[in-house]
Amino acid sequence: MIRAMTAAALALLAGCSGREAANPADPAAYAVRLAVTPAAGGAVQRIDLPAEALAALRSPNRADIRVFDGAGTPLAMAITGPAAGRAALDAVRLDAFPIVGPAGALAAEGAELRVEQRDGDRVVTVVRGPTAPSKPVTLGALFDTRAITARARSLRLDAVLPPQQPVRFAVETSADLADWTPVGDKILYRREGDRAGALGPEAIPLDDVDLKGRYLRVTWTSPQRLLAPVELRGATIGVARRLDTDDRPAIATSPPRRIDAHDIRFALPHPAVLAAVAIAPAAGEMLVPVALSGRNAPDQPWTPIGSGSLRAGSTAPVELSGAAFSDYRIEADRRTPGFAAAPRLTLLFEPARLVVLFDGKPPYTLAAGAAGADSRYLAIGELVPGYRPGAEDALPRATVAASAAPLLDLAQPDDSLFSPRKAVLWGLLLLGVVALAAMVWRLWKPSPS
């Protein structure tokens, strides 16, 4: 009898678990699988995780993410998030316009520049400076940064330098090509002229300078006579771009459940940490103040995680803070009519980025969402030697073939008292009690005389 009850309990437990644990080494075990195409460039590249992948995760620390090659082998990778202050770094490539004039012209008081078109190329000349005649030489380079609206954090020069000679680069900005403001400088040294054997990082810090509507000028000097000319071909400016709502990974959902005009509920397939929820009234409501809360089981109290006011025509999301929840509740202020119909929801996630070593055989696959997966992330410094914050922004960006308009199917909330899952758990408990009683009876029943 005990064996029969044990078998029945195991059968009920199997029914409660639903299915066997997934094998994280098998790409087919993941809920979402998306094709990845590496960009031209180096083997170490970055992947910005799409909302489809983030919504499928089951691990709160994002351990269930893999990038597989064509043979099903997981690739080495690291994970990073957005920079402090919710900003991401972008790289802006600019061509250099040489500044031509007499030697020492830029150091003269009142020196002024003029941009000219010569043989289809832009050349910058000194139109006010020293009057002594001398042979025109290249004095520096000008960059047109007037269209850059984000704050500039660094400048990396595409230049050929005299080998084994220190060169000091000075960076200045101006709105009128006459009055210049210093914004940065650095001494660069290379054992060979074209980036080989550089002594330390070569990015010139710019300290979040505002370049909008201004030009940028780079000049160079050396404490010793240069044995070869400096050839400045272009530059890459690292700019800090604030992550607005549209920058965060977002995914629309199926309609939530409307309990009444002031109570909207939705459930996720698995607990997740949401950065924000965009709530769009579907029946033309003009103003609906709301409060959001979350929980993970019907017997738990609701935990407040955010609040805001929904206005007609506004797309501003309600920012959330808190732990991972599976059940969410939207409460409309009862001083208003509330929601005449279930609103449209869009879930927003905090951005996450992978740094991946593509050293396998294509095709490559981004996989996300597998129960029981362990974290396989390396330290980013192991993939990017000499790593400094923001260095991943300069890596080639691999393309993920995500859906054009992904939709997350919301789960049915487990609110009923006698749901199938609860019935199975109660059945297990009752079977355990009966089995324990049977064992006690067998131990204590009087033996035959």
Side-chain angles (χ1 to χ4, degrees), residues 179-265:
D179 297 319
W180 295 90
T181 303
V183 294
D185 67 272
K186 190 165 190 174
I187 295 177
L188 303 184
Y189 177 90
R190 296 175 182 172
R191 293 186 179 90
E192 298 180 20
D194 198 0
R195 291 190 182 274
L199 186 64
E202 294 196 336
I204 303 174
L206 297 182
D207 297 330
D208 286 348
V209 65
D210 185 7
L211 298 177
K212 184 178 180 181
R214 302 180 70 85
Y215 294 92
L216 187 143
R217 183 176 75 179
V218 177
T219 57
W220 52 86
T221 57
S222 178
Q224 54 189 242
R225 182 175 178 273
L226 296 178
L227 302 179
V230 174
E231 298 179 22
L232 184 52
R233 299 171 294 204
T236 300
I237 298 179
V239 296
R241 171 175 54 86
R242 181 172 176 81
L243 292 175
D244 297 321
T245 299
D246 293 339
D247 293 308
R248 287 181 283 184
I251 186 170
T253 74
S254 57
R257 187 169 57 146
R258 179 178 178 271
I259 305 298
D260 57 44
H262 298 89
D263 191 348
I264 306 295
R265 301 189 187 186

Side-chain angles (χ1 to χ4, degrees), residues 33 40 95 125 209 240 243-244 267 284 310 357:
R33 297 185 296 278
D95 292 327
T125 58
V209 65
L243 292 175
D244 297 321
L310 312 180
L357 175 60

Side-chain angles (χ1 to χ4, degrees), residues 155-167:
L155 177 70
R156 187 177 295 273
L157 302 175
D158 179 10
V160 178
L161 308 185
Q164 302 180 18
Q165 286 190 290
V167 180

Side-chain angles (χ1 to χ4, degrees), residues 369-403:
D374 295 326
S375 175
R376 291 180 54 91
Y377 297 123
L378 300 174
I380 192 169
E382 298 182 72
L383 295 174
V384 183
Y387 171 78
R388 292 194 174 191
E392 66 275 14
D393 294 289
L395 296 174
R397 181 179 178 181
T399 303
V400 179
S403 303

Side-chain angles (χ1 to χ4, degrees), residues 32 34 49-57 249-251 349 368 401-408:
V32 171
L34 304 170
L49 291 177
E52 266 184 288
L54 295 172
L57 297 181
I251 186 170
F349 298 87
S403 303
L407 182 71
L408 177 64

Side-chain angles (χ1 to χ4, degrees), residues 47 63 118 145 154 163 182 198 225 241-242 247 293 330 374 402 405 409 429 434 448:
I47 295 177
R118 295 183 183 176
T145 56
S154 64
R225 182 175 178 273
R241 171 175 54 86
R242 181 172 176 81
D247 293 308
S293 51
I330 304 172
D374 295 326
D409 288 326
L429 180 61
V434 172

